[in-house]
């Protein structure tokens, strides 16, 4: 039987000689959990999957390192413990683009989205020019990948986050629509 997230978090905190209690951060439709901890005088964010997934953890780190090398503003990795599957990240705060945009006037909203698009463009240009062996260069957002993402959305957002219980006919209708979209 797999070790619970709580036990893995406890082992990680014990290894770091930290008695702080991790505070869960509000969720979304991710397969990962996030916690804020006070770590030796500052805050950090703890990220982990329900069960250790060494390959997914490695890929996360690889893509993060590639983005950092491109100059993208990504959180620092303070620690990674493959035994517990915990990745300890820089705490970048709670304010999301969505929240910032919600209270913005038209000019500020335009500026926020321009900055976001400019950042995506810079990542695309720099990342492509830089090349390398990053997993990002081996993936395509093709029909199969879009299908995986739509299935993930169904499981983790519709059924997980929103707790919707779909009748078989409703699920089949959505599956057909998703297949057509893909």
């Amino acid at each position: 039987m797999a070790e619970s997230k709580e036990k893995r978090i406890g082992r990680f905190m014990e290894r770091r000689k930290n008695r702080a209690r991790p505070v869960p951060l509000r969720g979304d439709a991710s397969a990962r959990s996030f916690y804020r901890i006070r770590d030796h005088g500052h805050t950090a964010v703890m990220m982990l999957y329900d069960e250790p997934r060494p390959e997914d953890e490695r890929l996360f780190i690889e893509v993060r390192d590639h983005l950092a090398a491109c100059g993208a503003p990504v959180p620092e990795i303070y620690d990674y413990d493959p035994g517990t599957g915990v990745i300890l990240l820089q705490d970048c705060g709670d304010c999301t683009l969505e929240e910032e945009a919600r209270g913005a006037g038209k000019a500020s909203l335009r500026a926020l989205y321009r900055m976001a698009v400019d950042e995506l463009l810079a990542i695309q240009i720099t990342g492509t020019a830089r090349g390398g062996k990053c997993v990002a260069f081996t993936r395509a957002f093709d029909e199969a990948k879009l299908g995986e993402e739509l299935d993930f959305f169904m499981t983790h957002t519709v059924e997980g986050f929103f707790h919707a219980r779909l009748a078989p006919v409703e699920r089949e209708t959505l599956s057909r629509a998703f297949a057509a979209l893909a």
Side-chain angles (χ1 to χ4, degrees):
M1 176 184 251
E3 189 176 36
S4 72
K5 276 194 297 191
E6 291 74 21
K7 285 191 183 226
R8 291 171 30 232
I9 290 170
R11 280 196 304 121
F12 178 82
M13 297 294 279
E14 186 176 300
R15 180 178 68 76
R16 291 184 62 85
K17 299 183 182 355
N18 187 326
R19 298 197 187 288
R21 182 173 198 83
V23 176
L25 296 175
R26 66 187 164 138
D28 57 10
S30 176
R32 298 169 287 197
S33 296
F34 296 87
Y35 301 83
R36 179 166 286 125
I37 63 168
R38 181 150 296 285
D39 191 58
H40 301 92
H42 66 281
T43 62
V45 171
M46 180 186 295
M47 180 188 92
L48 70 159
Y49 290 91
D50 288 341
E51 295 179 4
R53 293 164 62 174
E55 181 61 9
D56 289 341
E57 295 154 13
R58 183 189 70 76
L59 295 176
F60 172 86
I61 293 168
E62 182 179 310
V63 170
R64 181 253 164 247
D65 289 350
H66 177 74
L67 291 172
C70 292
V74 293
E76 291 292 323
I77 295 178
Y78 295 143
D79 195 1
Y80 169 50
D81 180 8
T84 59
V86 171
I87 300 175
L88 191 64
L89 301 164
Q90 176 184 10
D91 187 347
C92 296
D94 290 322
C95 189
T96 64
L97 176 60
E98 177 187 13
E99 290 163 347
E100 189 71 19
R102 192 176 297 127
K106 190 174 184 178
S108 294
L109 185 62
R110 184 178 305 241
L112 285 169
Y113 277 99
R114 177 163 301 279
M115 288 186 326
V117 169
D118 287 349
E119 190 63 46
L120 290 171
L121 185 58
I123 290 168
Q124 178 69 29
I125 291 168
T126 306
T128 302
R130 196 174 169 278
K133 295 184 179 187
C134 180
V135 67
F137 293 108
T138 67
R139 303 278 169 96
F141 202 70
D142 56 12
E143 185 175 337
K145 180 62 176 163
L146 183 54
E148 288 174 21
E149 294 295 331
L150 291 169
D151 287 343
F152 186 92
F153 169 78
M154 177 65 73
T155 301
H156 295 281
T157 303
V158 175
E159 296 171 338
F161 187 75
F162 290 114
H163 307 291
R165 299 295 167 240
L166 302 176
V169 68
E170 293 170 315
R171 195 169 224 308
E172 179 57 32
T173 299
L174 277 173
S175 291
R176 280 195 310 277
F178 287 168
L181 178 62

